[in-house]
Amino acid sequence: MNIADLQPVDAAVVPRFAGIASFMRLPVVASPAGLDIALYGLPWDGGTTNRAGARHGPREIRNLSSLMRSGHHVTGLEPFSVVKVADVGDVSVNPIDLLDSLKRIEAGVAEIVAAGAIPLGAGGDHLCTLPVLRAVAKHRPVGMIHFDAHSDTNDTYFGDNPYTHGTPFRRAIEEGLLDPKRVVQIGIRGSIYERGEHAWAHAQGIRIVYMEEFTERGPAAVIEEAKAIVGTGPTYVTFDVDSLDPSMAPGTGTPEIGGITTREAQLMLRRLQGLDIVGADVVEVAPPFDVQGMTALVGATMMFELLCVIAANKVAEG
């Protein structure tokens, strides 16, 4: 598979509103074999506890990703010219069976990992990240930089249900997929169910940067600390769009006011270059609550930022 065969459709030849919708207008391929980075969809929101709709996220992110061009305006990097990237489609899901979907998602991402490609996914609700971590961290725990309004380390919901979009990282730590002392959560805010809701997360050693601290210190200082915490080991990056202020990303299931700006988020993602990123995702884009595609565009743009960082790392590796 040659890089020349994996170029986006040229918008000067085929307008952005025409052609088949794929991530970044890249070719859609049946297998991740030979790719450096595999873009894929997670069209599932079976872990959602209130406003469902993130299952439609990958399709709308693909649509709005037609606005991405070939080069990064800050770094000058042209990722599609230096690494092999393609859209490998959506992982298989079962919209009426939660446990079966978790198995299907894990299997789909495991195929990407086995092929030697780095998975970069579009969700889907945040429970999707648990089976992704099962595939990515199968042989050793990984660190994680987590952008979110919520810690997602609660135990159970609605009695003894352990699998919701509010529990994935508690399960991931319990399963040995995450090294909690190498986990940083940025942007946490909003009302809580009870005092001490985050006590378990703190006890495991997770570094939680609440929004109030983020505002006081600024994005540059916060992301430098995050990089120091995850260090040189394998690291997963997960970006929940509700980490952003809902004025900039209204199309999400659990919005919280007072969030990160898109500009601050871009700055932080760009500074992740040099980390050992073994996978990443952008989740909780819920088109039924979106306004004129604004949140889907945010999701596509954050995917492009992550793609450029991962591509730069690949180039640095030689």
Side-chain angles (χ1 to χ4, degrees):
M1 190 180 299
N2 298 316
I3 286 181
D5 299 322
L6 297 173
Q7 293 304 298
V9 174
D10 188 344
V13 177
V14 180
R16 300 180 192 279
F17 53 81
I20 296 172
S22 65
F23 288 123
M24 322 293 174
R25 306 192 86 193
L26 288 162
V28 178
V29 300
S31 167
L35 297 179
D36 296 306
I37 304 170
L39 308 181
Y40 71 100
L42 291 154
W44 187 78
D45 58 10
T48 302
T49 57
N50 185 20
R51 303 199 309 175
R55 66 182 62 186
H56 302 290
R59 180 168 292 188
E60 289 306 309
I61 291 174
R62 280 187 174 95
N63 186 26
L64 270 294
S65 73
S66 67
L67 292 172
M68 301 302 106
R69 298 180 180 86
S70 297
H72 195 284
H73 80 283
V74 176
T75 65
L77 179 74
E78 296 180 346
F80 311 119
S81 298
V82 294
V83 294
K84 298 174 183 177
V85 192
D87 185 335
V88 298
D90 292 339
V91 293
S92 174
V93 298
N94 182 339
I96 59 173
D97 190 323
L98 185 152
L99 293 179
D100 183 47
S101 284
L102 296 184
K103 292 177 182 177
R104 288 168 181 249
I105 294 169
E106 179 183 355
V109 178
E111 182 181 350
I112 295 172
V113 174
I118 294 178
L120 175 53
D125 73 38
H126 224 156
L127 183 57
C128 291
T129 304
L130 175 60
V132 173
L133 288 171
R134 288 173 176 169
V136 170
K138 182 177 181 180
H139 301 295
R140 79 288 189 238
V142 300
M144 184 173 72
I145 295 180
H146 172 198
F147 300 90
D148 207 320
H150 313 99
S151 176
D152 294 349
T153 52
N154 288 338
D155 191 7
T156 60
Y157 283 66
F158 306 108
D160 59 356
N161 182 357
Y163 297 115
T164 79
H165 64 170
T167 66
F169 304 122
R170 189 169 185 133
R171 300 289 88 83
I173 290 171
E174 292 171 345
E175 294 178 24
L177 307 173
L178 288 175
D179 175 356
K181 293 181 174 54
R182 295 184 56 237
V183 172
V184 185
Q185 300 182 323
I186 300 171
I188 310 303
R189 63 188 186 278
S191 57
I192 54 179
Y193 287 110
E194 60 183 353
R195 176 181 290 186
E197 180 175 317
H198 300 147
W200 185 90
H202 287 298
Q204 308 312 304
I206 294 175
R207 171 69 167 108
I208 299 179
V209 181
Y210 293 98
M211 196 61 209
E212 291 72 20
E213 179 185 352
F214 177 89
T215 301
E216 185 173 327
R217 295 178 61 198
V222 167
I223 204 63
E224 289 306 313
E225 181 191 357
K227 290 170 63 177
I229 289 172
V230 299
T232 58
T235 300
Y236 193 84
V237 180
T238 185
F239 190 98
D240 186 329
V241 294
D242 73 25
S243 63
L244 303 172
D245 191 88
S247 64
M248 299 183 177
T252 192
T254 314
E256 302 284 357
I257 69 165
I260 298 169
T261 68
T262 50
R263 187 183 302 112
E264 291 167 334
Q266 287 175 290
L267 183 152
M268 289 188 285
L269 292 181
R270 291 167 189 168
R271 294 193 178 205
L272 298 182
Q273 187 170 325
L275 295 182
D276 182 13
I277 298 174
V278 294
D281 60 40
V282 176
V283 300
E284 297 285 359
V285 172
F289 305 106
D290 208 358
V291 177
Q292 297 181 340
M294 183 188 305
T295 313
L297 176 59
V298 165
T301 305
M302 298 308 165
M303 282 188 74
F304 183 72
E305 294 284 1
L306 286 164
L307 169 64
C308 288
V309 166
I310 297 169
N313 291 346
K314 283 282 187 181
V315 172
E317 291 170 6

